[in-house]
């Protein structure tokens, strides 16, 4: 591969990488997370995408004031440093954008879509960056080149042919910038619908729905500096070493200054156990590491509400005992009285929950629950972080609310080092929602749109992800447009959903890379290739920057700095404006000026959200950007009651299908080398899995009970909806340190086991972290 390290200009059409062999091998990984393993992995990621020179320059500019925002995760950047923050998975995300491999018209001429569809998701994305707009040609079963103008007119023709604008769905994946997301919602609302299924609907929707009822805002309340001031950190259902690696800096620093860290996770994730910082010379040279979790709680899959109620039960008991003994109170009674409602009901609910039930459902010992509760009580200020392990459950919204309850008990808001920290996924998923990607827009927001743009937007609510899938299945939806993402692969109920998507009249993918969504296409289909975060974006008025909002509500600018892989690419903004001009020639909105100068889009965002985005264009020029207003930080509660609310989760069990005695609870997880549906390599180093993803992690006793030998192929059968047989097969069983009754396998390979109905009724988040299944040897 030596010649691959040259610059991009010597690009030749290349033979597509071949399909990797199936089957995984296992080799326990003894090293800490991070460390030399991470440095080697970074070098490999760059080399494999053939971008050593260009890539290292780009990496040095990533997350710097003048550079671009890492397209990897939504963890914030340290405000005051300009030193390069190392992150292995950020390097992978960028190297995947910068790859020298290109998908050209010759590539599409070489394969029919039927042939392409036989390849894996891994293979499809490995082919490299998309380079020009393509349309599906039914007669030849090939994607063929199409001009941008014809593509936009195709979109317009299909949208005009609908009986109602509500027959189209407009998906957003969370890499879209604030500018493109804002224009996208404007275009779609001007067209006439609020159908905005969004990746957030499968991700932190439980947070966005649960927290406003609890504390009046659907976002986190901490800033990076709070991690320096906190006395204890809880990390629930989140794997930062893989999915938000820059968070490891905060965890490592906290641990080194003696702050206890509690990890609640069915799997012992290496980075939550010990971590070596690649920037720390001594750790690197001495092969030493920093312990991260001081208490590691291996909860059963789906047992988090039970653990949280257990901790709260202990806290309440400790409070009563303290009072009886004449000791200082454990609860923050003045805070509870002044700032909250519903405490009495919560106490009743916790008292009515028996220890037997708590221990049975959580799978955790009473001793460990007590230890965690003591850490909570002894800390003056506590931060609780959480991720998909908490939200992607049938009771996800309520689980998030129990986290808020626990924090409220000791007034852990509105002071340094305290608060709630949902760790978002995609790098701008939070910003997209802030600027209007919302299927349930508020009347206030719609009024602001009307004032700023002079049209009355549709008032009725639109589709979330689950609603849009149901509409496709029922034939009520006919057009799908995806602003980024890989809807066909990321969503539940793979077979049924994909069959429905094939019946659509038009599917449009605005993407950087080829993926499953382009294979699962409607009768007509378009691939509209766009610039990526790291690419230079030049429009009529010159080089443009975009803005993003991170997990801690910091908004800042990002400007790409490498030459795009092809001159035929357009920015997301330009593509949206092109579709809008073709579809809505008389909209009264000057799309061209927005496309020419993104400052004008930001002026309009400010006009629609005058309080949040005051002086928007001026403030993003300050390095580090600015923080959006956050009520709970100032003890302001924008709930219906005007107070923070303790909220009850009735019972502990999350769903009855698991009552089947043979049932196991499947959680679907990410490997270290994947970004959602993008598979970087087939390895999962920290979990000791190499060269394959068809793996099911099982407790050895659960395997023995079922006479499943290590490495034998098993099939998983979903128990959720007995009417339809949903099964996936060919998984190698791998004995693993996981609680009995719980099993884990990778997403999206397992999405077919999850019926659409298997979601949290409150937030409609698919319950991807808790699917009742049977695991059995494959027949024959
Ligand atoms: N490199 C990389 N970075 C990413 C992503 C990626 O795929 N790759 N994805 C991005 C996106 S969109 C998101 S949303 C985030 C996802 O980041 P995370 O929130 O970390 O998501 P997961 O890896 O799916 O699951 C997190 C953890 O939940 C645990 N878990 C599973 N079931 C349960 C349970 O019932 N209870 C508890 N307590 N824990 C459980 C798993 O063992 C796992 O360690 O990361 C973002 N960043
Ligand atoms: N079973 C199960 N299912 C899950 C999950 C789970 O944990 N388990 N997690 C859920 C979660 S948290 C999420 S967020 C969703 C993810 O769902 P999506 O966001 O829909 O999926 P991604 O895999 O992130 O999308 C990858 C594609 O995005 C495109 N892309 C990359 N960068 C850009 C860009 O800058 N602009 C544009 N326009 N396109 C770009 C590329 O073409 C790439 O193929 O999956 C959900 N599904
Ligand atoms: Mo996500």
């Amino acid at each position: 591969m030596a010649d691959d390290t040259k610059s991009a200009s010597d690009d030749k059409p290349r033979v597509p990488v071949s399909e990797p062999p199936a089957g995984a091998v296992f080799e326990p990984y003894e090293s800490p997370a991070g460390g030399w393993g991470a440095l080697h992995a970074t070098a490999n990621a760059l080399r494999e995408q053939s971008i050593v020179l260009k890539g290292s320059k780009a990496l040095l500019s990533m997350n710097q004031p003048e550079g671009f925002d890492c397209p990897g995760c939504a963890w914030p950047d340290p405000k005051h440093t300009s030193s390069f923050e190392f992150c292995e998975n950020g390097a992978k995300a960028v190297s995947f954008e910068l790859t020298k491999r290109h998908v050209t018209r010759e590539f599409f001429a070489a394969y029919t879509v039927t042939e392409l569809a036989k390849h894996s998701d891994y293979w499809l994305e490995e082919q490299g960056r998309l380079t020009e707009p393509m349309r599906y040609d039914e007669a030849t079963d090939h994607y063929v080149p199409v001009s941008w103008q014809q593509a936009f007119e195709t979109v317009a023709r299909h949208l005009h042919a609908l009986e109602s604008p509500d027959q189209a769905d407009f998906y957003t994946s969370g890499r879209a910038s604030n500018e493109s997301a804002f224009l996208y919602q404007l275009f779609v609302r001007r067209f006439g619908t609020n159908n905005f299924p969004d990746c957030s609907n499968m991700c932190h929707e439980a947070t966005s729905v649960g927290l406003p009822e609890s504390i009046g805002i659907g976002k986190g309340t901490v800033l990076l500096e709070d991690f320096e001031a906190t006395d204890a950190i809880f990390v629930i259902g989140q794997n930062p070493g893989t999915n938000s690696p820059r968070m490891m800096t905060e965890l490592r620093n906290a641990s080194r200054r003696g702050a206890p860290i509690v990890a609640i996770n069915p799997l012992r994730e290496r980075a939550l156990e010990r971590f070596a910082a690649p920037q720390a010379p001594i750790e690197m040279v001495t092969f030493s590491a920093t312990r991260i979790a001081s208490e590691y709680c291996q909860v059963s899959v789906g047992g988090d509400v039970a653990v949280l109620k257990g901790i709260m039960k202990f806290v309440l008991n400790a409070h009563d005992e303290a009072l009886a003994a004449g000791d200082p109170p454990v609860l923050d009674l003045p805070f509870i009285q002044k700032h909250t409602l519903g405490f009495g009901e919560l106490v009743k609910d916790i008292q009515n929950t028996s220890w037997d039930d708590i221990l049975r459902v959580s799978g955790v010992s009473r001793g460990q629950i007590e230890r965690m509760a003591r850490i909570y009580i002894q800390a003056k200020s506590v931060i609780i972080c959480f991720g998909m392990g908490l939200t992607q459950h049938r009771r996800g919204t309520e689980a998030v609310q129990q986290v808020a309850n626990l924090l409220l008990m000791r007034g852990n808001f509105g002071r340094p080092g305290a608060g709630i920290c949902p760790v978002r996924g995609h790098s701008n998923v939070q910003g997209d929602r802030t600027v209007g990607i919302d299927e349930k827009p508020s009347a206030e927001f719609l009024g602001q749109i009307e004032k700023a743009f002079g049209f009355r937007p549709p008032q009725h609510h639109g589709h979330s992800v689950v609603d849009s899938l149901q509409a496709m299945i029922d034939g009520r939806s006919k057009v799908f447009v995806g602003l980024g993402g890989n809807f066909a692969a990321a969503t539940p109920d793979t077979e049924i959903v994909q069959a429905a998507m094939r019946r659509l009249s038009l599917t449009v993918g605005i993407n950087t890379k080829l993926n499953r969504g382009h294979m699962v296409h409607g009768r007509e289909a378009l691939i509209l290739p766009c610039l990526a975060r790291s690419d230079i974006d030049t429009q009529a008025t010159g080089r443009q920057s975009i803005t993003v909002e991170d997990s801690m509500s910091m908004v800042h600018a990002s400007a790409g700095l490498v030459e795009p892989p092809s001159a035929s690419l357009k920015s997301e903004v330009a593509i949206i404006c092109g579709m809008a001009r073709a579809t809505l020639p008389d909209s009264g909105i000057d799309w061209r000026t927005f496309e020419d100068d993104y400052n004008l889009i930001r002026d309009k965002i400010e006009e629609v959200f005058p309080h949040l985005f005051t002086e928007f264009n001026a403030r993003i020029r300050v390095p580090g950007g600015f923080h959006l207003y956050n009520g709970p930080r100032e003890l302001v509660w924008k709930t219906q009651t005007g107070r923070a609310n303790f909220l009850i989760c009735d019972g502990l069990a999350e769903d009855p299908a698991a009552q089947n005695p043979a049932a196991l609870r499947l959680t679907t997880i990410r490997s270290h080398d994947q970004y959602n549906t993008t598979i970087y390599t087939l390895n999962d180093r920290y979990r000791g899995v190499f060269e394959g993803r068809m793996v099911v992690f099982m407790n050895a006793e659960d395997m023995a009970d079922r006479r499943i030998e290590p490495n034998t192929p098993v099939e998983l059968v979903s128990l959720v909806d007995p009417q339809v047989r949903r099964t996936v097969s060919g998984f190698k069983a791998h004995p693993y340190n996981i609680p009995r009754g719980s099993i884990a396998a990778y997403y999206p390979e397992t999405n077919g086991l999850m019926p659409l109905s298997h979601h949290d009724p409150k937030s409609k988040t698919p319950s991807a972290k808790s699917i009742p299944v049977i695991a059995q040897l494959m027949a024959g």
Side-chain angles (χ1 to χ4, degrees):
M1 283 224 171
D3 62 334
D4 281 334
T5 56
K6 289 180 199 154
S7 73
S9 55
D10 59 0
D11 218 6
K12 302 178 192 76
R14 48 180 293 151
V15 184
V17 289
S18 56
E19 197 63 91
V25 292
F26 304 105
E27 197 178 317
Y29 189 79
E30 307 296 348
S31 306
W36 290 104
L39 284 187
H40 290 313
T42 307
N44 283 344
L46 295 172
R47 195 180 57 242
E48 275 162 25
Q49 300 300 325
S50 316
I51 47 160
V52 170
L53 295 176
K54 203 163 73 158
S56 40
K57 175 177 154 231
L59 286 175
L60 290 171
S61 320
M62 188 157 76
N63 293 339
Q64 298 307 307
E66 298 302 316
F68 59 92
D69 183 66
C70 177
C73 74
W75 191 255
D77 309 317
K79 208 193 227 158
H80 306 295
T81 60
S82 59
S83 67
F84 166 53
E85 263 231 299
F86 174 87
C87 167
E88 172 194 341
N89 279 356
K92 286 181 205 154
V94 175
S95 67
F96 247 57
E97 281 190 8
L98 296 175
T99 177
K100 253 183 67 185
R101 299 185 188 123
H102 294 161
V103 174
T104 58
R105 58 173 70 188
E106 290 77 23
F107 171 86
F108 284 114
Y111 297 92
T112 63
V113 175
T114 309
E115 284 163 352
L116 288 176
K118 288 189 188 132
H119 284 286
S120 66
D121 296 2
Y122 171 71
W123 186 90
L124 291 173
E125 291 235 11
E126 271 292 304
Q127 304 313 313
R129 285 286 298 274
L130 296 163
T131 52
E132 62 177 318
M134 306 296 289
R135 78 174 166 84
Y136 178 65
D137 179 39
E138 203 174 6
T140 60
D141 189 32
H142 279 273
Y143 273 105
V144 296
V146 63
S147 73
W148 279 105
Q149 194 48 38
Q150 278 172 325
F152 295 147
E153 282 164 15
T154 304
V155 175
R157 174 165 50 81
H158 278 271
L159 291 179
H160 287 153
L162 298 176
E163 290 140 28
S164 147
D166 291 332
Q167 289 177 325
D169 280 287
F170 296 87
Y171 177 65
T172 313
S173 167
R175 271 198 202 177
S177 63
N178 288 333
E179 289 71 12
S180 57
F182 181 77
L183 282 191
Y184 191 54
Q185 66 79 32
L186 184 65
F187 159 51
V188 171
R189 293 200 161 100
R190 185 69 183 81
F191 169 62
T193 179
N194 284 312
N195 284 349
F196 289 110
D198 167 20
C199 74
S200 176
N201 297 145
M202 301 181 268
C203 183
H204 263 292
E205 193 70 2
T207 305
S208 307
V209 170
L211 287 188
E213 286 181 41
S214 289
I215 58 168
I217 189 167
K219 303 181 181 184
T221 68
V222 299
L223 287 174
L224 222 39
E225 48 258 40
D226 287 306
F227 283 83
E228 291 161 25
T230 192
D231 303 309
I233 303 170
F234 285 61
V235 183
I236 310 181
Q238 196 217 333
N239 187 15
T242 291
N243 297 321
S244 35
R246 283 174 295 122
M247 179 177 169
M248 294 311 300
T249 309
E250 271 64 51
L251 294 179
R252 178 174 174 275
N253 291 346
S255 168
R256 291 176 85 87
R257 65 179 172 76
I261 297 173
V262 176
I264 303 181
N265 197 312
L267 303 181
R268 292 196 75 94
E269 303 290 21
R270 179 56 44 86
L272 291 171
E273 296 184 313
R274 52 188 201 277
F275 178 71
Q279 318 69 344
I282 302 207
E283 269 180 7
M284 292 299 280
V285 174
T286 59
F287 292 92
S288 57
T290 302
R291 182 191 72 175
I292 299 298
S294 49
E295 188 68 47
Y296 208 115
C297 169
Q298 282 188 268
V299 62
S300 293
V301 163
D304 298 275
V305 169
V307 168
L308 289 163
K309 285 199 184 186
I311 296 176
M312 289 193 276
K313 195 170 175 79
F314 186 86
V315 172
L316 292 177
N317 290 346
H319 177 75
D320 291 344
E321 283 168 20
L323 291 195
D327 291 338
V330 167
L331 298 167
D332 186 342
L333 296 173
F335 177 93
I336 293 176
Q337 184 158 29
K338 179 155 180 234
H339 290 288
T340 73
L341 286 174
F343 185 61
E345 286 80 12
L346 179 78
V347 172
K348 259 185 246 151
D349 175 62
I350 302 288
Q351 280 169 347
N352 290 338
T353 311
S354 74
W355 276 114
D356 282 353
D357 286 346
I358 290 172
L359 303 185
R360 181 178 45 80
V361 176
S362 68
V364 178
S365 73
R366 184 154 168 178
Q368 184 165 46
I369 291 180
E370 291 189 8
R371 288 198 300 278
M372 293 189 287
R374 277 189 211 284
I375 290 172
Y376 173 73
I377 291 170
Q378 278 157 14
K380 187 169 172 302
S381 293
V382 176
I383 295 175
I384 305 186
C385 307
F386 59 92
M388 297 301 98
L390 193 76
T391 60
Q392 292 176 331
H393 287 280
R394 302 243 312 148
R395 312 289 293 270
T397 303
E398 287 148 301
V400 169
Q401 292 173 340
Q402 302 317 299
V403 171
N405 288 348
L406 178 58
L407 287 168
L408 287 169
M409 283 184 157
R410 284 177 45 84
N412 273 300
F413 286 98
R415 62 165 185 254
I420 196 160
C421 180
V423 180
R424 300 272 165 178
H426 270 298
S427 52
N428 196 41
V429 60
Q430 187 160 315
D432 291 345
R433 298 305 290 256
T434 302
V435 301
I437 301 297
D438 188 350
E439 75 279 9
K440 295 180 295 220
S442 70
E444 186 194 348
F445 165 73
L446 294 176
Q448 288 295 99
I449 291 282
E450 181 164 0
K451 236 167 60 192
F453 294 99
F455 73 96
R456 188 168 161 74
Q459 308 286 307
H460 57 283
H461 289 173
H463 292 161
S464 68
V465 163
V466 165
D467 305 322
S468 64
L469 292 171
Q470 194 61 56
M472 290 176 194
I473 292 169
D474 299 346
R476 285 179 285 121
S477 187
K478 299 191 176 346
V479 172
F480 171 81
V481 180
L483 179 59
N486 189 2
F487 191 74
T491 45
D493 228 351
T494 314
E495 260 178 61
I496 292 172
V497 159
Q498 294 191 352
M501 290 192 79
R502 290 180 200 281
R503 293 192 295 268
L504 297 176
S505 63
L506 175 71
T507 49
V508 181
I510 303 166
N511 290 93
T512 53
K513 293 280 196 86
L514 197 62
N515 68 35
R516 182 67 41 200
H518 308 128
M519 308 306 134
V520 182
H521 56 78
R523 282 200 301 285
E524 285 193 70
L526 294 166
I527 300 177
L528 304 182
C530 66
L531 297 176
R533 198 64 75 66
S534 48
D535 295 333
I536 295 171
D537 180 354
T538 309
Q539 303 294 341
T541 61
R543 263 168 91 156
Q544 306 295 315
S545 55
I546 52 97
T547 60
V548 293
E549 175 186 339
D550 66 34
S551 257
M552 296 183 186
S553 308
M554 293 294 302
V555 178
H556 63 95
S558 164
L561 43 83
V562 293
E563 281 303 324
S566 143
S568 315
L569 300 186
K570 282 188 183 291
S571 71
E572 290 178 351
V573 164
I575 294 171
I576 294 159
C577 290
M579 294 192 299
R581 273 197 304 274
T583 311
L584 308 167
D586 306 318
S587 64
I589 296 169
D590 191 353
W591 304 99
R592 174 62 73 188
T593 62
F594 290 137
E595 178 175 337
D596 290 349
D597 184 354
Y598 298 0
N599 285 314
L600 303 179
I601 310 175
R602 288 187 281 273
D603 285 344
K604 279 294 181 187
I605 294 178
E606 178 176 342
E607 201 178 321
V608 172
F609 305 96
H611 303 302
L612 280 183
F613 291 97
T614 324
E615 306 270 341
F616 192 7
N617 271 309
R619 283 200 290 166
I620 58 163
R621 292 195 161 61
V622 179
F626 62 94
H627 185 238
L628 293 179
Y629 174 78
N630 191 293
R633 284 187 72 80
E634 297 167 22
L635 300 178
V636 173
W637 316 101
K638 292 194 167 173
T639 59
Q640 284 190 342
T641 62
R643 301 268 190 100
N645 295 305
F646 285 100
L647 298 167
I648 310 276
C649 172
D650 196 14
L652 301 172
E654 106 161 356
D655 82 66
Q659 300 308 325
N660 181 324
L664 295 165
R665 249 172 210 289
L666 168 71
T667 185
T668 62
I669 55 176
R670 293 165 163 77
S671 78
H672 189 62
D673 278 10
Q674 80 182 83
Y675 193 96
N676 298 338
T677 67
T678 301
I679 312 303
Y680 298 136
T681 79
L682 300 180
N683 302 337
D684 191 7
R685 181 169 87 240
Y686 297 148
R687 300 195 185 107
V689 178
F690 300 89
E691 293 165 39
R693 294 174 47 86
M694 296 298 281
V695 173
V696 51
F697 300 91
M698 291 183 80
N699 182 295
E701 291 176 41
D702 284 330
M703 287 174 62
D705 283 355
R706 291 164 179 76
R707 298 197 161 69
I708 296 174
E709 299 286 327
N711 277 330
T712 45
V714 293
E715 76 176 344
L716 304 175
V717 184
S718 176
L719 289 174
V720 181
D721 160 22
Q723 309 300 319
V724 180
R725 186 176 157 82
R726 290 179 179 83
T727 165
V728 293
S729 53
F731 286 78
K732 264 190 184 180
H734 180 44
Y736 204 70
N737 182 351
I738 184 169
R740 285 207 70 174
S742 301
I743 61 172
Y746 298 117
Y747 130 74
E749 286 80 350
T750 42
N751 283 33
L753 294 172
M754 192 172 26
L756 207 49
S757 61
H758 190 57
H759 61 256
D760 169 13
K762 295 203 168 176
S763 67
K764 298 193 181 163
T765 312
S767 177
K769 290 289 187 278
S770 196
I771 311 171
V773 297
I774 284 179
Q776 60 198 26
L777 288 173
M778 277 171 74

